[in-house]
Amino acid sequence: MGSCSKVGNSSYDYSFKILLIGDSGVGKSSILLSFISNSVHDLSPTIGVDFKIKLLTVGGKRLKLTIWDTAGQERFGTLISSYYRGAHGIILVYDVTRRETFTNLSNVWAKEVELYSTNRDCIKILVGNKVDRECERAVTREEGIALAQEHKCLFLECSAKTRENVQQCFKDLIYKILDVPSLLEQGSAVVKNQNLKQKQVHQASHGGNCCS
């Protein structure tokens, strides 16, 4: 995946919203930082919601990814529905060394996705982080695969610390999104520009009518 330097509307073909969700401390921010900057530092916990933008080129298409990261322990009330609204991809993260973070994906996070996600075709990937700590593993790879199948998710294990499979996680998600016509249409810069122009024309014509 290459990179693209410009940011305006004309500089990308598609814009996609991607969410990182899961318990606090599973490494969501580290995964995001590893993907964005190819480096991982010791991060202080995310407070509320943070997002990063990544521009890249896949299969000749210029993509703008807006990747949202949330503090796992925060239940941010009225913000929650807008956080999920319009998401094209969701990365559900657990820590392979902490079993409760895995069970919470079913008990808490998958239910939240079902409740608030507005895109029925939204692509989900289940990601087990911290495989660099293999000797502390509390969740088997087979269990991860089974849960992913149950919730119709892609599946991958990774390590934000060593960067193993972090790029692959986003790559798998993006390729799958690019396979879904409804998500392509929603993310299309051309469609967004057309909708904006139609809205402006509509407002202008209604403005003329009310004043004549």
Side-chain angles (χ1 to χ4, degrees):
M1 292 196 288
S3 63
C4 170
S5 55
K6 294 188 292 180
V7 181
N9 264 349
S10 59
S11 68
Y12 62 85
D13 300 302
Y14 297 103
S15 173
F16 296 126
K17 178 181 180 180
I18 294 171
L19 310 182
L20 280 156
I21 62 173
D23 285 7
S24 180
V26 295
K28 298 185 299 295
S29 299
S30 297
I31 288 171
L32 177 54
L33 192 65
S34 176
F35 177 60
I36 295 291
S37 66
N38 294 325
S39 66
V40 180
H41 312 286
D42 285 329
L43 297 167
S44 54
T46 305
I47 306 298
V49 178
D50 186 22
F51 73 89
K52 297 279 190 293
I53 289 172
K54 173 92 167 177
L55 295 152
L56 43 85
T57 304
V58 177
K61 298 293 182 187
R62 295 161 304 173
L63 310 182
K64 176 186 175 186
L65 306 182
T66 307
I67 308 165
W68 294 79
D69 176 23
T70 170
Q73 81 279 17
E74 305 270 334
R75 310 313 306 148
F76 39 94
T78 52
L79 277 177
I80 203 163
S81 58
S82 59
Y83 180 72
Y84 280 96
R85 190 178 302 124
H88 303 92
I90 299 177
I91 302 171
L92 298 104
V93 186
Y94 66 96
D95 176 348
V96 299
T97 72
R98 289 166 56 214
R99 189 159 191 88
E100 72 277 7
T101 67
F102 178 73
T103 53
N104 281 344
L105 285 183
S106 278
N107 298 339
V108 179
W109 299 103
K111 289 176 181 173
E112 203 167 85
V113 170
E114 191 63 34
L115 199 59
Y116 294 108
S117 179
T118 55
N119 277 345
R120 286 294 143 213
D121 295 327
C122 176
I123 304 300
K124 296 171 290 184
I125 183 167
L126 183 67
V127 174
N129 188 31
K130 305 190 185 180
V131 292
D132 54 283
R133 292 161 61 182
E134 185 63 39
C135 59
E136 299 171 54
R137 183 187 278 272
V139 183
T140 68
R141 180 178 168 80
E142 289 69 30
E143 286 176 302
I145 291 168
L147 186 67
Q149 287 173 341
E150 182 188 336
H151 291 285
K152 297 180 175 63
C153 300
L154 303 169
F155 176 76
L156 203 63
E157 289 188 333
C158 77
S159 166
K161 187 174 183 179
T162 66
R163 300 197 204 121
E164 179 191 345
N165 272 345
V166 170
Q167 297 287 328
Q168 193 64 43
C169 161
F170 286 89
K171 195 183 280 189
D172 287 356
L173 188 68
I174 291 159
Y175 277 126
K176 194 75 174 170
I177 290 171
L178 289 169
D179 263 351
V180 181
S182 66
L183 296 180
L184 280 186
E185 188 176 338
Q186 288 172 26
S188 167
V190 173
V191 170
K192 283 182 179 169
N193 287 340
Q194 284 172 348
N195 288 345
L196 187 64
K197 283 172 188 166
Q198 284 171 355
K199 197 173 180 183
Q200 287 167 344
V201 168
H202 181 72
Q203 285 171 342
S205 64
H206 274 62
N209 289 341
C210 74
C211 301
S212 56

